[in-house]
Amino acid sequence: MFLAEVRAAAAEPEDESTCRILDAALDAYQEFGLRRTTMDDVARKAGIGRATLYRRFPQKDDLVTAVGLREVRRFIAAADIEISKAANAEDRMVEGFVAVVRGLREHRLLNRLLSSEPEAVLPGLTLHGGPVIALARGYLKEKIEEDQRAGFIRDFDAEPLAEMLARLIHSMVLTPEGRIPTRDERQMRAFARTYLVPWLRV
Amino acid sequence: MFLAEVRAAAAEPEDESTCRILDAALDAYQEFGLRRTTMDDVARKAGIGRATLYRRFPQKDDLVTAVGLREVRRFIAAADIEISKAANAEDRMVEGFVAVVRGLREHRLLNRLLSSEPEAVLPGLTLHGGPVIALARGYLKEKIEEDQRAGFIRDFDAEPLAEMLARLIHSMVLTPEGRIPTRDERQMRAFARTYLVPWLRV
């Protein structure tokens, strides 16, 4: 469902005014949080009229979802650039892990909401988080299958492996505290090379 | 901290009246949830006076923590029995995965609270969940190191592997929806054998 929305949204190019609205909403959410940001705040920041804003996003939740989906698309696009620079399947695993962990650690909106309004975001990332796991799994599965088609790794069902990777990251987003390195990139690469690369040899 | 508490609690045998209190509280939490259970309910169910209950557990939170710690100890003890029946390191991974997933799926208190009072349990299992991850990691690390000392698996740093396993389960508890089998035990064993056993060949 979420996956379909992301794909549909990705296929539909944003017009300039939608883009302005989403930029203004993202700014406001990062600054004031979801709860305290009103539709009026967003209209004012975007420099458009209330009527225009409500025509495009009839409810506050529609706007929150649209901003969230754009952040997910941007996140995946940024990680994809790092992954595509890697020379082989093993390096794609290592550089992908580093890019994703760094990207999540530095993600301003996600960290802002997790720390100031956990009650607003935790249910959607946990009990109702199936679509988020599915989205990450779908992306990772495609990446693994590309390397399988190219003959770089053996031909096995990539979906469970993709989901294990998605779930490792899922747990690290929700509970960063632990013994898997998340700050020192040299240590992160060493961890991924020792403990994650062997996953490709299913 | 939590680990130390669990170990201290495990070292200290429960007297009969504490055991009666914890049984009564567990019953009440499973039936009415945390929020709606009062200290009076627990005293009545346990057949003891309020004064006795408050002497042992001065605050409601102390009682909740004590019940939670006992559930964790029981859970680990039950999983440990299944793991100890397995013939070799690979089977311990497979049977351990099946026992843990089944045990969590059937855990009445955990599932009750996740569905009826998520706001009461989610923060402790996510943003403040470091101690829970540490507890699971500590237990799994010991199990892996036993097999390393016995020469059944290679000698590598078991801690990151233990944490990856703990985090896979962590994500599956919080968001069961996904493509990793959790109900059909034949499928669960096949998944663990194909995708988790290779983790032991770090």
Side-chain angles (χ1 to χ4, degrees):
Chain A
M1 188 197 73
F2 191 67
L3 249 177
E5 278 184 61
V6 170
R7 281 177 181 153
E12 177 196 325
E14 276 163 18
D15 57 85
E16 201 210 308
S17 100
T18 301
C19 185
R20 204 130 46 94
I21 293 170
L22 295 179
D23 286 346
L26 176 61
D27 268 4
Y29 297 159
Q30 285 173 342
E31 199 170 342
F32 307 115
L34 296 181
R35 217 174 15 213
R36 289 175 54 211
T37 297
T38 65
M39 291 294 265
D40 280 352
D41 291 336
V42 175
R44 202 164 38 240
K45 258 187 193 276
I48 57 161
R50 276 174 53 104
T52 312
L53 176 58
Y54 278 98
R55 213 166 23 241
R56 185 70 191 80
F57 298 101
Q59 310 221 15
K60 195 175 160 178
D61 274 0
D62 300 325
L63 182 54
V64 172
T65 302
V67 170
L69 290 175
R70 193 177 66 163
E71 288 304 291
V72 171
R73 290 200 308 276
R74 285 174 163 181
F75 187 86
I76 289 180
D80 212 42
I81 289 173
E82 294 305 312
I83 291 171
S84 70
K85 285 184 203 160
N88 56 52
E90 304 201 347
D91 286 358
R92 273 186 279 282
M93 175 71 99
V94 173
E95 297 309 320
F97 176 76
V98 171
V100 167
V101 172
R102 184 179 50 213
L104 289 168
R105 192 183 66 217
E106 293 173 354
H107 197 281
R108 210 175 137 201
L109 181 62
L110 178 70
N111 293 301
R112 206 290 185 205
L113 297 179
L114 277 175
S115 71
S116 71
E117 293 177 75
E119 69 290 351
V121 287
L122 280 180
L125 292 177
T126 57
L127 303 174
H128 312 296
V132 180
I133 299 278
L135 184 66
R137 180 181 64 224
Y139 168 73
L140 291 165
K141 179 172 179 271
E142 278 172 28
K143 291 283 125 184
I144 298 166
E145 287 177 346
E146 278 172 24
D147 275 334
Q148 288 180 319
R149 276 193 300 272
F152 296 141
I153 53 177
R154 271 187 45 224
D155 205 28
F156 54 82
D157 180 1
E159 194 161 58
L161 176 56
E163 182 158 323
M164 293 195 305
L165 284 166
R167 288 187 176 281
L168 173 64
I169 298 294
H170 181 228
S171 167
M172 290 173 71
V173 169
L174 295 169
T175 313
E177 188 187 334
R179 298 294 168 81
I180 295 177
T182 58
R183 304 211 154 256
D184 180 315
E185 301 213 348
R186 201 184 49 78
Q187 288 178 11
M188 286 164 70
R189 288 198 171 82
F191 162 79
R193 201 161 291 284
T194 307
Y195 294 94
L196 297 182
V197 164
W199 290 17
L200 297 173
R201 299 183 207 116
V202 163
Chain B
M1 189 195 69
F2 191 67
L3 250 177
E5 279 184 61
V6 170
R7 281 177 182 154
E12 178 196 326
E14 276 162 18
D15 58 84
E16 201 211 306
S17 98
T18 301
C19 185
R20 203 128 49 92
I21 294 169
L22 296 179
D23 286 345
L26 176 62
D27 268 4
Y29 297 159
Q30 285 174 343
E31 200 171 343
F32 307 115
L34 296 181
R35 217 173 15 212
R36 289 176 54 211
T37 297
T38 65
M39 291 294 263
D40 280 351
D41 291 336
V42 175
R44 204 164 36 241
K45 255 186 194 279
I48 57 159
R50 276 174 54 103
T52 312
L53 176 57
Y54 278 97
R55 212 164 28 239
R56 185 68 190 79
F57 298 102
Q59 310 219 17
K60 195 176 160 177
D61 275 359
D62 300 324
L63 182 55
V64 171
T65 302
V67 170
L69 290 174
R70 193 176 65 163
E71 288 304 291
V72 172
R73 291 200 308 276
R74 285 175 163 180
F75 186 85
I76 289 181
D80 212 41
I81 289 172
E82 295 305 311
I83 292 171
S84 70
K85 285 184 204 159
N88 57 51
E90 303 200 346
D91 286 357
R92 273 186 280 282
M93 175 71 99
V94 173
E95 297 308 321
F97 175 77
V98 172
V100 166
V101 172
R102 185 179 50 212
L104 290 167
R105 192 184 65 218
E106 293 173 356
H107 198 281
R108 209 175 137 201
L109 182 63
L110 177 69
N111 293 302
R112 204 295 184 202
L113 298 179
L114 278 175
S115 70
S116 70
E117 294 177 71
E119 69 291 348
V121 289
L122 280 180
L125 293 177
T126 57
L127 304 174
H128 312 297
V132 179
I133 300 278
L135 184 67
R137 179 181 65 224
Y139 168 73
L140 292 165
K141 178 172 179 273
E142 278 173 28
K143 291 284 124 183
I144 299 166
E145 287 176 346
E146 277 172 25
D147 275 335
Q148 289 179 318
R149 276 193 301 272
F152 296 142
I153 51 177
R154 270 187 48 222
D155 205 26
F156 53 83
D157 180 2
E159 195 161 57
L161 176 56
E163 182 157 322
M164 292 194 307
L165 283 166
R167 287 187 176 283
L168 173 63
I169 298 293
H170 182 228
S171 167
M172 291 174 71
V173 169
L174 295 169
T175 314
E177 188 187 334
R179 298 293 169 83
I180 295 177
T182 58
R183 304 211 153 256
D184 180 317
E185 302 214 348
R186 201 185 49 78
Q187 288 178 10
M188 286 164 70
R189 287 198 172 81
F191 163 78
R193 201 161 292 282
T194 306
Y195 294 92
L196 297 182
V197 164
W199 291 16
L200 297 173
R201 300 184 206 114
V202 163

